[in-house]
Amino acid sequence: MKNKALLFLFLACACTNANAQLTTPSATVHFGEVAWHSPKTQDITFQNKTHHAVTLTDVRTDCACTSAAWKRGQVIDAGEKASIRLTFDAQTLGHFKKSVRVYTDYKGKTQVKEVWIEGRVVAELTNLDDYPYDVGEGIHLSTGTLEFDNVRNGDMPQQTVGIVNNTKESYVPTLMHMPAWLTAECTPTTIRPGRTGTITFTADASKVGRYGLAQTNIYVSRHMGDKVGKDNEMQVSLTLVPQVNITPSALVIAPKAVADTTLTLVAGTGRKANKATGTMTIGNTGRSDLEISRLQVYNPGLEVSLNKSVIKTGEVATMKVSLQTDKLPQYKGRLRILLITNDPLRPTIVVDVK
């Protein structure tokens, strides 16, 4: 009996580990309100929580109303993330809950991760909570920022932004001041009153240029001859990271960066009440010099300084950060800092500033 109990426990643990290769922030993806006959798209992000790479082999949905866009054979390295784009095309009114199964190969074995999508199909949208970014004149977007992180040469990552036409006339989405490395496709090309659509943005890493952060602002035109301004502005950022190829022997003597990924600023007092500051260190526990080749901020509201760009083995560098808190409502996107290093296992360090 004792042996049977131990065997059951072993199998239970094996099952738990087998289903834990990929994780998601939640087992259910909430689509919210979906307009009837107006497809809605959302991305699901998976993270590989193991110490080995997994390969994406298949994605299956349980009905024809749900389609998935994904990259067959994509290798997700240990700790890395991958996204799958799901589109729900509502055929009937009312609540829906659908299953999506993601198949991966982990060390020669097939693993399955199941997630659910749910929401409510309505004849006309009444709840705009999913479209909080108001660009004016009855046009609302699901977000006002685009962030393409950890992009390598040859990649063409995509992001989808939902758009709702809350006017009484049909609307044709048009984007202004697009950079050469970014394209957009609107579906449908004309959005009827009270209906939704999507704008799929594609970034071409080969046209970005040097490694590091590329940023720009684009603008959503609401009518013919529209002008650019803060109200219809979208902020776009792309982080181009080096493609690392290193031999095991070279890895042994490589530098190794040690740094936190979050920095909490402390608000000032008195005459400095409108300024928040913080300090963090970047260490090197490797066997050669750690070089910080680039230091950039994702948001112009941040001021950053680093006391040295070359960190010898066993030493640390100090990074000081400050923020004008009285201007915080003007900032768009997350407050983040980017460092490009020569650590082959950590070529980029992104620090979220709280």
Side-chain angles (χ1 to χ4, degrees), residues 146-216:
L146 294 173
E147 297 175 349
F148 297 93
D149 293 339
N150 296 321
V151 181
R152 294 176 172 84
N153 275 323
D155 289 350
M156 297 191 68
Q158 292 184 323
Q159 286 193 28
T160 299
V161 175
I163 183 170
V164 60
N165 176 15
N166 204 27
T167 72
K168 296 181 179 179
E169 298 180 356
S170 293
Y171 170 65
V172 178
T174 305
L175 296 160
M176 302 179 288
H177 290 205
M178 293 279 285
W181 49 265
L182 188 67
T183 58
E185 182 178 359
C186 302
T187 306
T189 54
T190 300
I191 304 175
R192 291 185 291 168
R195 296 298 177 88
T196 65
T198 59
I199 306 175
T200 300
F201 293 90
T202 303
D204 186 346
S206 66
K207 297 180 179 180
V208 173
R210 62 179 181 173
Y211 295 123
L213 177 63
Q215 285 185 305
T216 189

Coordinates of all heavy atoms in Angstrom, one line a residue, residues 146-216:
L146 N 2.6 51.1 -28.1 CA 3.0 49.9 -28.7 C 4.5 49.6 -28.2 O 5.3 50.5 -28.4 CB 3.0 49.9 -30.3 CG 1.7 50.1 -31.0 CD1 1.9 50.3 -32.4 CD2 0.8 48.9 -30.7
E147 N 4.7 48.4 -27.7 CA 6.0 48.1 -27.1 C 6.5 46.8 -27.8 O 5.9 45.7 -27.5 CB 6.0 48.0 -25.6 CG 5.6 49.3 -24.9 CD 5.5 49.1 -23.4 OE1 5.4 48.0 -23.0 OE2 5.4 50.2 -22.7
F148 N 7.5 46.8 -28.6 CA 8.1 45.6 -29.2 C 9.4 45.3 -28.5 O 10.4 46.0 -28.7 CB 8.3 45.8 -30.7 CG 7.1 46.1 -31.5 CD1 6.7 47.4 -31.8 CD2 6.4 45.0 -32.0 CE1 5.5 47.6 -32.6 CE2 5.2 45.2 -32.8 CZ 4.8 46.5 -33.1
D149 N 9.4 44.4 -27.6 CA 10.5 44.1 -26.7 C 11.3 42.9 -27.2 O 10.7 42.0 -27.9 CB 10.1 43.8 -25.3 CG 9.5 45.1 -24.6 OD1 9.8 46.2 -25.1 OD2 8.8 44.9 -23.6
N150 N 12.6 42.9 -27.0 CA 13.5 41.7 -27.3 C 13.4 41.3 -28.7 O 13.2 40.1 -29.0 CB 13.2 40.6 -26.3 CG 13.5 40.9 -24.9 OD1 14.5 41.6 -24.6 ND2 12.7 40.5 -24.0
V151 N 13.5 42.2 -29.6 CA 13.4 41.9 -31.1 C 14.8 41.7 -31.6 O 15.8 42.5 -31.3 CB 12.7 43.1 -31.8 CG1 12.6 42.8 -33.3 CG2 11.3 43.4 -31.2
R152 N 15.0 40.7 -32.4 CA 16.3 40.4 -33.0 C 16.2 40.6 -34.5 O 15.2 40.6 -35.1 CB 16.7 39.0 -32.7 CG 17.0 38.7 -31.2 CD 17.3 37.3 -30.9 NE 17.8 37.1 -29.5 CZ 17.0 37.0 -28.5 NH1 15.7 37.0 -28.6 NH2 17.5 36.8 -27.3
N153 N 17.4 40.8 -35.1 CA 17.5 41.0 -36.6 C 16.8 39.8 -37.3 O 17.1 38.7 -37.0 CB 18.9 41.1 -37.0 CG 19.4 42.6 -36.9 OD1 18.6 43.5 -37.2 ND2 20.7 42.7 -36.6
G154 N 16.0 40.1 -38.2 CA 15.2 39.0 -38.9 C 13.8 38.9 -38.4 O 13.0 38.3 -39.1
D155 N 13.5 39.3 -37.2 CA 12.2 39.2 -36.6 C 11.3 40.2 -37.2 O 11.7 41.3 -37.7 CB 12.2 39.5 -35.1 CG 12.9 38.3 -34.3 OD1 13.2 37.3 -34.9 OD2 13.2 38.5 -33.1
M156 N 10.0 39.8 -37.3 CA 8.9 40.7 -37.7 C 7.8 40.6 -36.7 O 6.7 40.1 -37.1 CB 8.5 40.5 -39.1 CG 9.6 40.7 -40.2 SD 9.1 40.7 -41.9 CE 8.1 42.2 -42.0
P157 N 7.9 41.1 -35.5 CA 6.9 41.0 -34.5 C 5.6 41.8 -34.8 O 5.7 42.8 -35.5 CB 7.5 41.5 -33.2 CG 8.5 42.5 -33.7 CD 9.1 41.9 -35.0
Q158 N 4.5 41.3 -34.3 CA 3.2 42.0 -34.6 C 2.5 42.3 -33.2 O 2.7 41.6 -32.3 CB 2.3 41.2 -35.4 CG 2.8 41.0 -36.9 CD 1.8 40.2 -37.7 OE1 1.1 39.3 -37.3 NE2 1.7 40.6 -39.0
Q159 N 1.8 43.4 -33.3 CA 0.9 43.7 -32.2 C -0.4 44.2 -32.7 O -0.5 44.9 -33.8 CB 1.5 44.8 -31.2 CG 2.6 44.3 -30.4 CD 3.0 45.2 -29.3 OE1 2.2 46.0 -28.8 NE2 4.2 45.2 -28.9
T160 N -1.5 43.8 -32.0 CA -2.9 44.2 -32.5 C -3.5 45.2 -31.6 O -3.5 45.0 -30.3 CB -3.7 43.0 -32.7 OG1 -3.1 42.1 -33.6 CG2 -5.1 43.3 -33.2
V161 N -4.1 46.2 -32.1 CA -4.8 47.2 -31.3 C -6.2 47.2 -31.7 O -6.6 47.3 -32.9 CB -4.2 48.6 -31.5 CG1 -5.0 49.7 -30.8 CG2 -2.7 48.7 -31.1
G162 N -7.1 47.1 -30.7 CA -8.5 47.2 -31.0 C -9.0 48.6 -31.2 O -8.5 49.5 -30.6
I163 N -10.0 48.8 -32.1 CA -10.5 50.1 -32.3 C -12.0 50.1 -32.4 O -12.6 49.1 -33.0 CB -9.9 50.7 -33.6 CG1 -10.4 52.1 -33.9 CG2 -10.2 49.8 -34.8 CD1 -9.6 52.8 -35.0
V164 N -12.7 51.0 -31.9 CA -14.2 51.1 -31.9 C -14.6 52.4 -32.5 O -14.1 53.5 -32.1 CB -14.8 50.8 -30.5 CG1 -14.4 51.9 -29.5 CG2 -16.3 50.8 -30.6
N165 N -15.6 52.4 -33.4 CA -16.2 53.6 -34.0 C -17.5 53.9 -33.2 O -18.5 53.2 -33.5 CB -16.4 53.3 -35.5 CG -17.1 54.5 -36.1 OD1 -17.2 55.6 -35.6 ND2 -17.7 54.3 -37.3
N166 N -17.4 54.9 -32.4 CA -18.6 55.2 -31.6 C -19.3 56.5 -32.1 O -19.9 57.2 -31.4 CB -18.2 55.5 -30.1 CG -19.3 55.3 -29.1 OD1 -20.2 54.5 -29.4 ND2 -19.3 56.0 -28.0
T167 N -19.2 56.6 -33.4 CA -19.9 57.7 -34.1 C -21.1 57.2 -34.9 O -21.4 56.0 -34.8 CB -18.9 58.4 -35.1 OG1 -18.7 57.6 -36.2 CG2 -17.5 58.7 -34.4
K168 N -21.7 58.1 -35.6 CA -22.9 57.8 -36.4 C -22.6 57.6 -37.9 O -23.5 57.4 -38.7 CB -24.0 58.8 -36.2 CG -24.5 58.9 -34.8 CD -25.6 60.0 -34.7 CE -26.1 60.1 -33.2 NZ -27.2 61.1 -33.1
E169 N -21.3 57.6 -38.2 CA -20.9 57.5 -39.6 C -19.8 56.4 -39.7 O -19.1 56.1 -38.7 CB -20.3 58.8 -40.2 CG -21.4 59.9 -40.2 CD -20.8 61.2 -40.8 OE1 -19.6 61.2 -41.1 OE2 -21.6 62.2 -40.9
S170 N -19.6 55.8 -40.9 CA -18.6 54.8 -41.1 C -17.2 55.5 -41.0 O -17.1 56.7 -41.3 CB -18.7 54.2 -42.4 OG -19.9 53.4 -42.5
Y171 N -16.2 54.8 -40.5 CA -14.9 55.3 -40.3 C -13.8 54.5 -40.9 O -13.8 53.3 -40.9 CB -14.7 55.4 -38.8 CG -13.2 55.8 -38.4 CD1 -12.7 57.0 -38.7 CD2 -12.5 54.9 -37.7 CE1 -11.4 57.3 -38.3 CE2 -11.2 55.2 -37.3 CZ -10.6 56.4 -37.6 OH -9.4 56.7 -37.3
V172 N -12.9 55.1 -41.6 CA -11.8 54.5 -42.3 C -10.5 54.8 -41.5 O -10.0 56.0 -41.6 CB -11.6 54.9 -43.7 CG1 -10.4 54.2 -44.4 CG2 -12.9 54.5 -44.5
P173 N -9.9 53.9 -40.7 CA -8.7 54.3 -39.9 C -7.5 54.6 -40.8 O -7.2 53.9 -41.8 CB -8.4 53.0 -39.2 CG -9.7 52.2 -39.2 CD -10.4 52.6 -40.5
T174 N -6.9 55.7 -40.5 CA -5.7 56.1 -41.2 C -4.6 56.5 -40.2 O -4.9 57.2 -39.2 CB -6.0 57.3 -42.2 OG1 -7.1 57.0 -43.0 CG2 -4.8 57.7 -43.0
L175 N -3.4 56.1 -40.5 CA -2.3 56.4 -39.5 C -1.3 57.4 -40.2 O -0.9 57.2 -41.4 CB -1.6 55.1 -39.1 CG -2.5 54.2 -38.3 CD1 -2.0 52.8 -38.3 CD2 -2.7 54.7 -36.9
M176 N -0.8 58.3 -39.4 CA 0.1 59.3 -39.9 C 1.5 59.2 -39.2 O 1.6 58.8 -38.1 CB -0.5 60.7 -39.7 CG -1.8 60.9 -40.4 SD -2.5 62.6 -40.1 CE -3.0 62.5 -38.3
H177 N 2.5 59.7 -40.0 CA 3.9 59.7 -39.5 C 4.4 58.3 -39.1 O 5.2 58.2 -38.1 CB 4.0 60.6 -38.2 CG 3.8 62.1 -38.6 ND1 4.3 63.1 -37.8 CD2 3.2 62.7 -39.6 CE1 4.0 64.3 -38.4 NE2 3.3 64.0 -39.5
M178 N 4.1 57.3 -39.9 CA 4.6 56.0 -39.7 C 6.1 55.9 -40.1 O 6.5 56.4 -41.1 CB 3.8 55.0 -40.5 CG 2.4 54.8 -40.1 SD 2.2 53.8 -38.7 CE 2.4 52.2 -39.5
P179 N 6.9 55.3 -39.2 CA 8.4 55.1 -39.5 C 8.5 54.0 -40.6 O 7.6 53.2 -40.8 CB 9.0 54.7 -38.2 CG 7.9 54.0 -37.5 CD 6.6 54.7 -37.9
A180 N 9.7 54.0 -41.2 CA 9.9 53.0 -42.3 C 9.9 51.6 -41.8 O 9.6 50.7 -42.6 CB 11.3 53.3 -43.0
W181 N 10.1 51.3 -40.5 CA 10.2 50.0 -40.0 C 8.9 49.5 -39.5 O 8.8 48.4 -38.9 CB 11.3 49.8 -38.9 CG 11.3 50.9 -37.8 CD1 12.0 52.0 -37.8 CD2 10.5 50.8 -36.6 NE1 11.7 52.7 -36.6 CE2 10.8 52.0 -35.9 CE3 9.6 49.9 -36.1 CZ2 10.3 52.3 -34.6 CZ3 9.0 50.2 -34.8 CH2 9.4 51.4 -34.1
L182 N 7.8 50.3 -39.6 CA 6.5 49.9 -39.1 C 5.4 50.0 -40.1 O 5.3 51.0 -40.8 CB 6.2 50.8 -37.9 CG 4.9 50.4 -37.1 CD1 5.2 49.1 -36.3 CD2 4.6 51.5 -36.1
T183 N 4.6 48.9 -40.3 CA 3.5 49.0 -41.2 C 2.2 48.6 -40.4 O 2.3 48.0 -39.3 CB 3.6 48.0 -42.3 OG1 3.8 46.6 -41.8 CG2 4.8 48.3 -43.2
A184 N 1.0 48.9 -41.0 CA -0.2 48.7 -40.3 C -1.3 48.2 -41.3 O -1.3 48.6 -42.4 CB -0.7 49.9 -39.6
E185 N -2.1 47.3 -40.8 CA -3.2 46.8 -41.6 C -4.5 46.8 -40.8 O -4.5 46.2 -39.7 CB -2.9 45.3 -42.1 CG -4.0 44.8 -43.0 CD -3.7 43.4 -43.5 OE1 -2.6 42.8 -43.1 OE2 -4.6 42.8 -44.2
C186 N -5.5 47.5 -41.3 CA -6.8 47.6 -40.6 C -7.8 46.6 -41.1 O -8.0 46.4 -42.3 CB -7.3 49.0 -40.8 SG -6.2 50.3 -40.2
T187 N -8.5 46.0 -40.1 CA -9.5 45.0 -40.5 C -10.8 45.2 -39.6 O -10.7 45.2 -38.4 CB -9.0 43.5 -40.2 OG1 -7.8 43.3 -40.9 CG2 -10.1 42.5 -40.6
P188 N -11.9 45.5 -40.3 CA -12.1 45.8 -41.7 C -11.5 47.2 -42.1 O -11.2 48.0 -41.2 CB -13.6 45.7 -41.9 CG -14.1 46.2 -40.5 CD -13.2 45.7 -39.5
T189 N -11.4 47.4 -43.4 CA -10.9 48.7 -43.8 C -11.8 49.8 -43.5 O -11.4 51.0 -43.3 CB -10.6 48.7 -45.3 OG1 -11.8 48.3 -46.0 CG2 -9.5 47.7 -45.6
T190 N -13.1 49.5 -43.4 CA -14.1 50.5 -43.0 C -14.9 50.0 -41.9 O -15.5 48.9 -41.9 CB -15.1 50.8 -44.2 OG1 -14.3 51.3 -45.3 CG2 -16.1 51.8 -43.8
I191 N -15.0 50.7 -40.8 CA -15.7 50.3 -39.6 C -17.0 51.0 -39.5 O -17.1 52.3 -39.5 CB -14.8 50.6 -38.3 CG1 -13.5 49.9 -38.4 CG2 -15.6 50.1 -37.1 CD1 -12.5 50.3 -37.3
R192 N -18.1 50.3 -39.5 CA -19.4 50.9 -39.4 C -19.7 51.4 -38.0 O -19.1 51.1 -37.1 CB -20.5 49.8 -39.8 CG -20.4 49.4 -41.2 CD -21.6 48.4 -41.6 NE -21.4 47.2 -40.9 CZ -22.4 46.2 -40.8 NH1 -23.6 46.5 -41.3 NH2 -22.2 45.1 -40.2
P193 N -20.7 52.3 -37.9 CA -21.0 52.9 -36.6 C -21.3 51.9 -35.6 O -22.1 50.9 -35.8 CB -22.3 53.8 -37.0 CG -22.2 54.1 -38.4 CD -21.5 52.9 -39.0
G194 N -20.7 52.1 -34.4 CA -21.0 51.2 -33.3 C -20.3 49.9 -33.4 O -20.4 49.0 -32.5
R195 N -19.4 49.7 -34.4 CA -18.7 48.4 -34.6 C -17.2 48.6 -34.2 O -16.7 49.7 -34.1 CB -18.9 47.9 -36.0 CG -20.3 47.6 -36.4 CD -20.9 46.4 -35.5 NE -22.2 46.1 -35.7 CZ -22.6 45.2 -36.7 NH1 -21.7 44.6 -37.4 NH2 -23.9 45.0 -36.8
T196 N -16.6 47.4 -34.2 CA -15.1 47.4 -33.8 C -14.3 46.9 -35.0 O -14.8 46.3 -35.9 CB -14.9 46.6 -32.6 OG1 -15.2 45.2 -32.9 CG2 -15.7 47.0 -31.4
G197 N -13.0 47.1 -34.9 CA -12.1 46.6 -35.8 C -10.7 46.4 -35.1 O -10.6 46.6 -33.9
T198 N -9.7 46.1 -35.9 CA -8.4 45.9 -35.4 C -7.4 46.6 -36.3 O -7.6 46.6 -37.5 CB -8.0 44.4 -35.2 OG1 -8.1 43.7 -36.4 CG2 -8.9 43.7 -34.2
I199 N -6.3 47.0 -35.7 CA -5.1 47.5 -36.5 C -4.0 46.6 -36.1 O -3.6 46.6 -34.9 CB -4.8 48.9 -36.2 CG1 -6.0 49.8 -36.3 CG2 -3.7 49.4 -37.1 CD1 -5.8 51.3 -35.9
T200 N -3.5 45.9 -37.1 CA -2.3 45.0 -36.8 C -1.0 45.7 -37.3 O -0.9 46.0 -38.4 CB -2.5 43.6 -37.6 OG1 -3.7 43.0 -37.1 CG2 -1.3 42.7 -37.3
F201 N -0.2 45.9 -36.3 CA 1.1 46.6 -36.6 C 2.2 45.5 -36.7 O 2.3 44.6 -35.9 CB 1.5 47.6 -35.4 CG 0.5 48.7 -35.3 CD1 -0.6 48.7 -34.5 CD2 0.8 49.9 -36.0 CE1 -1.4 49.8 -34.5 CE2 0.0 51.0 -36.0 CZ -1.1 51.0 -35.2
T202 N 3.0 45.7 -37.7 CA 4.2 44.8 -38.0 C 5.4 45.6 -38.0 O 5.6 46.6 -38.8 CB 4.0 44.0 -39.3 OG1 2.8 43.3 -39.3 CG2 5.1 43.0 -39.5
A203 N 6.4 45.2 -37.2 CA 7.7 45.9 -37.1 C 8.7 45.0 -37.9 O 8.8 43.8 -37.7 CB 8.2 46.1 -35.7
D204 N 9.5 45.6 -38.7 CA 10.6 45.0 -39.5 C 11.9 45.3 -38.9 O 12.4 46.4 -39.1 CB 10.5 45.4 -41.0 CG 11.5 44.6 -41.9 OD1 12.3 43.9 -41.3 OD2 11.3 44.7 -43.1
A205 N 12.5 44.4 -38.1 CA 13.7 44.6 -37.4 C 14.9 45.0 -38.3 O 15.8 45.7 -37.9 CB 14.1 43.4 -36.5
S206 N 14.8 44.5 -39.6 CA 16.0 44.7 -40.5 C 16.1 46.2 -40.9 O 17.1 46.6 -41.4 CB 15.8 43.8 -41.7 OG 14.7 44.2 -42.5
K207 N 15.0 47.0 -40.7 CA 15.0 48.4 -41.0 C 15.2 49.3 -39.9 O 15.2 50.5 -40.0 CB 13.7 48.7 -41.7 CG 13.4 48.0 -43.0 CD 12.1 48.4 -43.7 CE 11.9 47.6 -45.0 NZ 10.6 48.0 -45.6
V208 N 15.5 48.7 -38.7 CA 15.6 49.6 -37.5 C 17.0 50.2 -37.4 O 17.1 51.4 -37.1 CB 15.3 48.8 -36.2 CG1 15.6 49.6 -35.0 CG2 13.8 48.3 -36.2
G209 N 18.0 49.5 -37.7 CA 19.4 50.0 -37.6 C 20.1 49.5 -36.4 O 20.2 48.2 -36.2
R210 N 20.7 50.3 -35.6 CA 21.6 49.8 -34.5 C 20.8 49.3 -33.3 O 19.6 49.5 -33.2 CB 22.5 51.0 -34.0 CG 21.7 52.2 -33.4 CD 22.7 53.2 -32.9 NE 22.0 54.3 -32.3 CZ 22.7 55.3 -31.7 NH1 24.0 55.3 -31.6 NH2 22.0 56.3 -31.2
Y211 N 21.5 48.5 -32.5 CA 20.9 47.9 -31.3 C 20.5 48.9 -30.3 O 21.0 50.0 -30.3 CB 21.9 46.9 -30.7 CG 22.3 45.7 -31.5 CD1 23.6 45.5 -31.9 CD2 21.3 44.9 -32.0 CE1 23.9 44.4 -32.7 CE2 21.6 43.8 -32.8 CZ 22.9 43.6 -33.1 OH 23.2 42.5 -33.9
G212 N 19.5 48.6 -29.5 CA 19.0 49.5 -28.5 C 17.6 49.9 -28.7 O 16.8 49.1 -29.4
L213 N 17.2 51.0 -28.2 CA 15.8 51.5 -28.3 C 15.5 52.4 -29.4 O 16.3 53.4 -29.6 CB 15.5 52.2 -26.9 CG 14.1 52.8 -26.8 CD1 13.0 51.7 -26.8 CD2 14.0 53.6 -25.5
A214 N 14.5 52.1 -30.2 CA 14.0 53.0 -31.3 C 12.6 53.4 -30.8 O 11.8 52.6 -30.5 CB 14.0 52.2 -32.6
Q215 N 12.4 54.7 -30.9 CA 11.1 55.3 -30.5 C 10.6 56.3 -31.5 O 11.4 57.0 -32.1 CB 11.2 55.9 -29.1 CG 11.3 55.0 -27.9 CD 11.3 55.7 -26.6 OE1 12.1 56.6 -26.3 NE2 10.4 55.3 -25.7
T216 N 9.3 56.3 -31.5 CA 8.6 57.3 -32.4 C 7.2 57.5 -32.0 O 6.7 56.7 -31.2 CB 8.7 56.8 -33.9 OG1 8.2 57.9 -34.7 CG2 7.8 55.6 -34.1

